[in-house]
Amino acid sequence: MPIPTIPVPPPPGPSPDAGRHPFITPGYRTGFVVIVSLFLLWAVANNFNDILIRQFQKALALNRAEAGFIQFVFYFGYFVMALPAGLVMRRFGYRAGILAGLGFYALGAVLFYPAAEIRVYGAFLGALFVIAAGAAFLETAANPYIVAFGDPARAEQRLNLAQAFNGLGATLAPSLGAWFIFSGVEHDAATLDAMNAASLDAYRAAEAQMVQLPYLVLAGVVVLVAAVVAVVRLPPIAHDAPGGTLHGIGSVWRVGALRGAVIAQFFYVGAQVGVWSFFVDFVKAISPATSERQAAYYLSISLLLFMIGRLAGAALMQRIAAVRLLALFAIANIVLTLVAAFTGGTVAIGALLLTGFFMSIMFPTIFSLGLRDLGPQATLGAPLIIMAVIGGALFPPLMGWLSRGAFTIQHAMLLPCLAFAVVLAFAVWMQRRVASPQHAA
């Protein structure tokens, strides 16, 4: 079975830009904007979870370990749906895959309404799994599809631009969640214990219902985007005939760079999701007088630094090799998470906040390093790296469990520290590998 490629489409008609290696092929600019918007959409879904972890502790009386299960279910959805998403797109094309992803996304968001009415944690987790299925389709489709919109030599620039909008969505989500999901009502344990059963039930019901309107609005936005995707002009991409399989995955798995990237991505995503999931809890633990909304705004600043770091990293890569920059950023985050774990006050909060900047280049750099030796078989290796986001499912519950008792949420940040050390080891190994004139697969 031939491996599908992503050809650059010819312009739909004569254009003065012909022959100028356009950044975006004339005739497809609107389609490019629509596909870029998908990067923002799945970032909002991912980063709303960081707010939900805190909100569900209030609304459903969960402890940190139980609330951390939100990320387990969400990233398990990514893991389960990555390969089916690839199969759908190989069989029916990228537009069909994107529409399927948006459909799952909208359905999951709508399911938040009945889940809030019945206040059953399993119902919320089911809705999150459906959203994650949609996000897996979108992410599997959008990253390679960006290549088809113009000059192949400038594909990396287009992807960096699209990823910047992913950073924008990540930056906006905590502030939007803080404003529309957090009620601003915060009771300490003594107040909750003093409430009678009826008052406590009314309080938890009101907190659960805070998620209904934001997720209904999100579903409406997703449906509008789907309507545009259905009619907008998109570049044609060849895909497999019916009966296509994933033949060849065994051969690409034997490539050392791919295996290393899968391991590094597992630990990186686990660290990223773990830090952001418990950022609000971390701030509240160190500075109890800080409100939940203020803590969420601090998280937004960290995510803004994440977006800035991605743009700065792209510029720095013109002078510094990507693998070396990855190593330097990993070292920075090892130091910052150690400071967050063992100091206090604004120093600890500031250190954890700064990790956002240095996490910025890690996902795309690990991704590209893992595919560098695959050539045309990159379409088979890419889903394996995407599946490595299962790390984001495992770290939050483990960190929540570790934060109980004497081992506080601060000390739980040692787990992301360990994960950044794995990223550093991968970067050092790849640097030696790249430097070798003849490296074995």
Side-chain angles (χ1 to χ4, degrees), residues 15 17 22-35 149 232-233:
S15 168
D17 291 329
F23 182 65
I24 303 171
T25 302
Y28 295 110
R29 291 187 177 92
T30 301
F32 180 77
V33 171
V34 173
I35 298 302
F149 278 92
V232 73
R233 188 183 190 101

Side-chain angles (χ1 to χ4, degrees), residues 16 19 40 54 77 113 118 124 139 152-153 158 162 196 205 212 245 251 278 286 305 335 372 384 414-415 426 431 439:
L40 188 148
R54 181 69 183 183
Y113 193 94
I118 62 176
F124 282 113
E139 192 156 354
R158 287 193 295 279
N196 59 43
Q212 290 178 319
T245 68
S251 64
F278 291 112
I286 291 177
L305 290 175
V335 173
R372 64 180 301 147
L384 298 179
L414 292 174
L415 191 59
F426 169 73
Q431 193 167 17
H439 57 265

Side-chain angles (χ1 to χ4, degrees), residues 298-315:
Y298 290 156
L299 176 57
S300 286
I301 294 172
S302 183
L303 292 165
L304 176 62
L305 290 175
F306 178 81
M307 181 177 68
I308 293 171
R310 184 158 280 170
L311 296 173

Side-chain angles (χ1 to χ4, degrees), residues 87-265:
L87 284 172
V88 167
M89 280 171 275
R90 286 163 67 92
R91 174 72 154 64
F92 299 106
Y94 279 72
R95 191 194 300 264
I98 291 169
L99 288 173
L102 291 169
F104 280 125
Y105 192 148
L107 175 61
V110 168
L111 289 175
F112 262 67
Y113 193 94
E117 288 295 309
I118 62 176
R119 281 186 285 154
V120 174
Y121 191 32
F124 282 113
L125 295 178
L128 283 168
F129 184 89
V130 176
I131 292 176
F137 269 77
L138 296 181
E139 192 156 354
T140 303
N143 280 296
Y145 208 0
I146 290 294
V147 175
F149 278 92
D151 179 10
R154 304 181 70 184
E156 189 171 310
Q157 290 177 268
R158 287 193 295 279
L159 187 55
N160 279 329
L161 175 61
Q163 288 286 356
F165 279 86
N166 181 264
L168 176 62
T171 301
L172 293 175
S175 293
L176 291 173
W179 187 255
F180 293 107
I181 293 177
F182 286 159
S183 64
V185 178
E186 302 179 41
H187 295 313
D188 58 23
T191 303
L192 293 175
D193 290 341
M195 286 183 176
N196 59 43
S199 297
L200 183 59
D201 185 71
Y203 165 72
R204 297 205 188 281
E207 291 296 328
Q209 290 168 359
M210 290 296 296
V211 303
Q212 290 178 319
L213 180 59
Y215 274 87
L216 284 179
V217 172
L218 188 58
V221 171
V222 171
V223 169
L224 287 176
V225 172
V228 176
V229 169
V231 299
V232 73
R233 188 183 190 101
L234 297 174
I237 298 180
H239 55 86
D240 283 357
T245 68
L246 295 176
H247 175 71
I249 282 183
S251 64
V252 300
W253 182 247
R254 288 193 289 271
V255 178
L258 176 65
R259 292 197 306 273
V262 169
I263 294 169
Q265 203 73 287

Side-chain angles (χ1 to χ4, degrees), residues 29-88:
R29 291 187 177 92
T30 301
F32 180 77
V33 171
V34 173
I35 298 302
V36 166
S37 73
L38 303 179
F39 285 75
L40 188 148
L41 279 179
W42 81 65
V44 170
N46 289 345
N47 289 279
F48 262 8
N49 292 346
D50 305 326
I51 300 300
L52 293 179
I53 285 176
R54 181 69 183 183
Q55 183 66 9
F56 285 171
Q57 289 180 60
K58 296 165 58 180
L60 304 176
L62 306 177
N63 60 41
R64 286 194 186 118
E66 292 168 335
F69 205 68
I70 288 170
Q71 298 289 27
F72 176 87
V73 169
F74 194 85
Y75 285 94
F76 183 72
Y78 260 87
F79 178 80
V80 170
M81 298 305 295
L83 287 179
L87 284 172
V88 167

